[in-house]
Every structure is written in C-alpha cells, then in structure tokens.
Amino acid sequence: MARTLKRAAAFAALGRALTAGARGGPSLGRRLAALPRMIRATMRGEYDGGLRLALMTAAVAYVASPFDLVPEAMLLMLGIVDDALVVTWLAGSVLAETERFLDWEARRESVVPGQVVG
C-alpha cells in the first residue's frame, strides 16, 4: 500500500510538472529546451549558473557512476533510496534553474545595450 501511495504521489508530481505551462509557468518542454542555452550562457560567463550546473553534473555522475552499484548490491533498498533522493533533487533543481534561466533570458531581451550618460 505504501509503495502504491508513493508511486501515485510521484506520478501526480510529474503530471503537475508536465501541465505547469497551462497554469502560467513554463512548460516542461520549454524548460528542457532551455537547458542547452543555459549551459552555453554559463560557459560564456553570461549567466551565473556555474555552481548550480556543477552540482547538477555531480548528481548525474553520482547516479550514473558504476561505483554506486556496490552499495545497492550490498544494502539493497538503502542503496536505491539514496539514488532516488539524488534523482528527486536533480529533477527539482533542473526545473527551478531552467525557470530562473528563462526569467533571466526574458529580462535580458528587454535590455537595450548602451551606456548611461550622466
């Protein structure tokens, strides 16, 4: 029963993320499409997401790392739970950071380059 409730909560959260565009926020597709632009802008030094991207990259490496398979083989559920927590954090971080980037991008497009003369 508890697994069913957790699974239902996860699917409900995914459903909310997929339909976020309908409530005024950026849709999941728009957020994911912004990811490569966000990485490029960070690499160029235009966007200040370097530390957050580094943490997200570390999370992906942790989950994909073959060294992480050892605790799962030895500790069974405990080894899977730590991956689930990292993946949950990663998903939330990607959603939050891409929304922040899209806001930054919109503000940036409204700025007229030039100099202030006083």
Side-chain angles (χ1 to χ4, degrees), residues 26-40 94 98 101-102 105:
S27 68
L28 182 61
R30 188 164 173 235
R31 290 172 195 242
L32 293 177
L35 202 52
R37 294 192 316 270
M38 181 176 73
I39 293 168
R40 275 192 304 273
V94 167
T98 51
F101 174 75
L102 288 168
E105 216 174 30

Side-chain angles (χ1 to χ4, degrees), residues 64-113:
S65 170
F67 297 111
D68 192 36
L69 296 176
V70 174
E72 289 168 2
M74 297 172 78
L75 302 174
L76 298 176
M77 279 309 285
L78 199 56
I80 294 171
V81 169
D82 75 320
D83 280 350
L85 291 173
V86 172
V87 168
T88 302
W89 175 86
L90 179 62
S93 295
V94 167
L95 292 175
E97 193 59 28
T98 51
E99 183 171 0
R100 184 174 167 269
F101 174 75
L102 288 168
D103 289 342
W104 172 82
E105 216 174 30
R107 283 191 315 272
R108 186 173 181 223
E109 290 173 3
S110 67
V111 173
V112 177

Side-chain angles (χ1 to χ4, degrees), residues 49-72:
L51 179 61
R52 286 177 289 279
L53 280 176
L55 290 172
M56 287 185 249
T57 302
V60 169
Y62 177 77
V63 171
S65 170
F67 297 111
D68 192 36
L69 296 176
V70 174
E72 289 168 2

